Amino acid sequence: MSEKKLILKDPGSGKELELPVKESTIGPGAVDLGKLYRKLGYFSYDPGFLATASCASRITYIDGEAGTLLYRGYPIEQLAEKSTFIEVAYLLMYGELPDQEQLTSFQNIILHHTMLNENLKKFYGGFYHDAHPMAVMVGVVGSLSAFYHDSTDVENPRHREISAQRLVAKMPTIAAAVYKRTIGEPFMYPRNELSYCGNLLRMMFGVPCEEYEVDPLMERALDLLFILHADHEQNASTATVRQAGSSGADPFACVAAGIASLWGPAHGGANEAVLDMLAEIGDVKNIPKYIEMAKDKESGFRLMGFGHRVYKNYDPRAKIIRDVCHQLLNKMGNTHDPMFELALRLEEIALSDEYFIERKLYPNVDFYSGIIYRAMGLPNNMFTVMFAIARTVGWVAHWMEMMSDPAQKIGRPRQVYLGPGKRDYTGLDQR
Ligand code: CMC
């Protein structure tokens, strides 16, 4: 805590309270309101956490005005260009880039824990035939605690690490099985000699009756998307994982809660919603109509993939993904993907419109990611599942950080009560 203090005066009682300011390494510090209620009798009120830091963290930093994203201090652009998802996973989970020995060992651990308990697979058959893949993900990941409970003592750092590694390792196998179930193909076993993303591609697009060759272009594109989606500080799903974990809950159940939160269209579900929206717009000539609808609050329509709580500038991840879209579609010989062209035109028109300029609404990470997933052959309802695989790294990194933080307490918010005052019960005949 710094020497800086904020002085708050309650005009009612005339009481003054000195509130300490917790400084950050970069970016704004936060006023510590811990004593507010005890000293002045007020709670703080900030729905949606517009100005509330829910914790202190050393993992990821975002400067929303500048459009900057750092993982453990490293700019996302450098990691996207030079690193791999597995290396980034190590960085987020352990705090530093690994040396060769650490990287090899981590990679081996992750790649050798990809199999699922055979009994767990029976769960997939129990879901309704057209269940959304994210619904199945919530159920299957939540049930991991019923299979891997030999290392779920959350007070034990080694147990925490094992659970975190298991989650990162098994998520692609779980997700690929979700996909195979929707298309009625047999589940594929993982292959330890493949890379994290190569393995996932094979488990999704391969079949047991023939060899599958991993396309290096797809493998790299997927790896890159996963790097960009791996963490984003206290977003809704990560905050959910922390909140669930703050009671000492089982890590698999906490991550299932994170998946549920990610599913929403205002969060990770936006990548699916963007493609649905582009399909609905259908043609460049319809864009003005949809832009007008997005500006009209009565319409209930928003431009999906636009706007962000923190970024008031172009989302740096969207910039990278936009370029990858170009490269990937060109290399695939799909230079005129109508969806991509529609997206580019929509972006161009929206960015020159006063409504979007005034509100600093720019394309976010989800605006272009679905186009890449679609080019890879994935159906729209699998896009958020892909996001969940990558974000698992962020979720477990934050959960481990929280569990080892001496300042950690159960997350128990207060409320401004607006219901009726105390009153007496009336019998049925008096109502
Ligand atoms: N289309 C039209 N208007 C918008 C949009 C949009 N996509 N986003 C925000 N606005 C308007 C909003 O109506 C409000 O206008 P006014 O000031 O006149 O009332 C203003 O911009 C501020 O919006 P807000 O809802 O107060 O902003 P927020 O920080 O609470 O919400 C958001 C952020 C991401 C939920 C929102 O921008 C949104 O719904 N975007 C579409 C969904 C989306 O793309 N989500 C993915 C987010 S990035 C990836 C991730 O987190 O997983």
Side-chain angles (χ1 to χ4, degrees):
M1 211 71 79
S2 73
E3 295 299 302
K4 238 196 241 171
K5 303 234 185 300
L6 194 88
I7 299 176
L8 207 65
K9 187 166 177 180
D10 177 10
S13 64
K15 277 190 201 163
E16 268 190 11
L17 178 62
E18 275 193 3
L19 296 168
V21 171
K22 193 170 175 63
E23 297 276 20
S24 50
T25 329
I26 32 172
V31 181
D32 182 346
L33 296 177
K35 289 196 190 125
L36 184 65
Y37 174 60
R38 225 172 340 116
K39 298 281 185 188
L40 295 187
Y42 294 110
F43 297 135
S44 62
Y45 178 65
D46 182 18
F49 301 105
L50 295 181
T52 297
S54 61
C55 63
S57 177
R58 291 182 162 77
I59 302 174
T60 290
Y61 173 74
I62 305 171
D63 180 338
E65 299 298 325
T68 306
L69 170 61
L70 312 176
Y71 288 168
R72 301 280 189 185
Y74 296 103
I76 193 67
E77 293 80 3
Q78 291 181 23
L79 294 169
E81 189 193 334
K82 298 177 183 164
S83 189
T84 60
F85 177 65
I86 280 290
E87 191 179 62
V88 165
Y90 184 98
L91 172 70
L92 289 167
M93 288 167 69
Y94 297 99
E96 294 296 338
L97 284 169
D99 60 25
Q100 187 57 58
E101 200 182 317
Q102 289 165 327
L103 181 62
T104 308
S105 151
F106 181 66
Q107 202 157 351
N108 276 336
I109 290 168
I110 298 301
L111 295 180
H112 286 82
H113 285 85
T114 46
M115 288 218 300
L116 298 181
N117 184 299
E118 289 295 312
N119 286 323
L120 177 71
K121 291 194 205 161
K122 294 180 192 154
F123 277 39
Y124 287 83
F127 292 98
Y128 200 60
H129 66 93
D130 61 353
H132 192 287
M134 284 296 278
V136 181
M137 287 295 288
V138 173
V140 174
V141 173
S143 73
L144 290 177
S145 32
F147 290 87
Y148 303 101
H149 45 66
D150 58 345
S151 51
T152 48
D153 173 4
V154 297
E155 300 304 329
N156 180 333
R158 179 65 189 131
H159 277 211
R160 295 200 290 262
E161 186 183 27
I162 293 172
S163 299
Q165 290 169 344
R166 275 185 170 147
L167 274 157
V168 174
K170 295 187 193 307
M171 206 56 94
T173 320
I174 294 170
V178 169
Y179 175 58
K180 286 298 196 191
R181 179 191 166 274
T182 62
I183 56 170
E185 287 185 3
F187 295 175
M188 297 285 284
Y189 282 101
R191 294 290 293 257
N192 294 347
E193 77 277 14
L194 294 176
S195 72
Y196 191 82
C197 288
N199 203 12
L200 173 57
L201 285 169
R202 184 184 158 276
M203 287 191 289
M204 280 197 302
F205 300 119
V207 283
C209 43
E210 58 188 50
E211 283 304 309
Y212 177 84
E213 212 171 301
V214 177
D215 178 341
L217 182 65
M218 297 283 188
E219 191 180 13
R220 177 60 192 145
L222 196 55
D223 202 72
L224 185 67
L225 283 179
F226 281 8
I227 291 174
L228 300 178
H229 281 98
D231 192 42
H232 215 229
E233 50 118 307
Q234 309 310 320
N235 56 86
S237 56
T238 303
T240 301
V241 171
R242 278 184 177 262
Q243 174 72 9
S246 76
S247 67
D250 170 281
F252 301 111
C254 296
V255 168
I259 295 173
S261 168
L262 185 75
W263 190 4
H267 191 9
N271 55 14
E272 179 181 346
V274 168
L275 266 277
D276 293 343
M277 175 188 75
L278 291 175
E280 191 185 319
I281 297 176
D283 193 285
V284 172
K285 71 174 190 307
N286 298 326
I287 292 179
K289 182 178 118 196
Y290 281 88
I291 296 271
E292 286 315 305
M293 273 166 64
K295 291 171 7 183
D296 174 11
K297 304 271 184 268
E298 300 295 306
S299 75
F301 173 80
R302 281 190 168 199
L303 266 198
M304 299 315 287
F306 259 77
H308 197 275
R309 168 62 60 78
V310 184
Y311 292 120
K312 300 303 166 199
N313 201 326
Y314 212 102
D315 179 338
R317 302 167 300 170
K319 225 182 254 171
I320 300 169
I321 292 186
R322 191 181 193 267
D323 292 346
V324 176
C325 260
H326 271 293
Q327 290 162 18
L328 190 75
L329 295 173
N330 279 340
K331 284 191 188 151
M332 288 170 75
N334 194 357
T335 36
H336 295 295
D337 177 6
M339 283 291 187
F340 187 43
E341 288 186 355
L342 191 57
L344 287 173
R345 193 76 188 108
L346 181 62
E347 177 192 326
E348 194 186 325
I349 294 174
L351 291 185
S352 59
D353 190 292
E354 211 35 55
Y355 174 94
F356 292 87
I357 296 169
E358 246 176 41
R359 289 167 181 76
K360 300 188 175 168
L361 298 170
Y362 293 86
N364 58 51
V365 70
D366 288 326
F367 192 63
Y368 288 110
S369 62
I371 293 172
I372 302 185
Y373 288 135
R374 188 170 148 272
M376 287 177 176
L378 279 167
N380 293 11
N381 63 10
M382 276 298 292
F383 298 170
T384 316
V385 172
M386 304 305 277
F387 192 159
I389 301 174
R391 187 54 59 86
T392 297
V393 163
W395 291 331
V396 298
H398 280 271
W399 175 74
M400 287 196 293
E401 180 181 65
M402 178 191 74
M403 295 307 292
S404 61
D405 183 351
Q408 116 78 10
K409 282 184 189 318
I410 184 167
R412 193 352 182 144
R414 303 305 297 261
Q415 63 171 9
V416 178
Y417 175 69
L418 298 176
K422 188 177 173 202
R423 50 183 171 165
D424 290 325
Y425 176 84
T426 49
L428 254 186
D429 55 339
Q430 289 167 303
R431 285 177 228 159

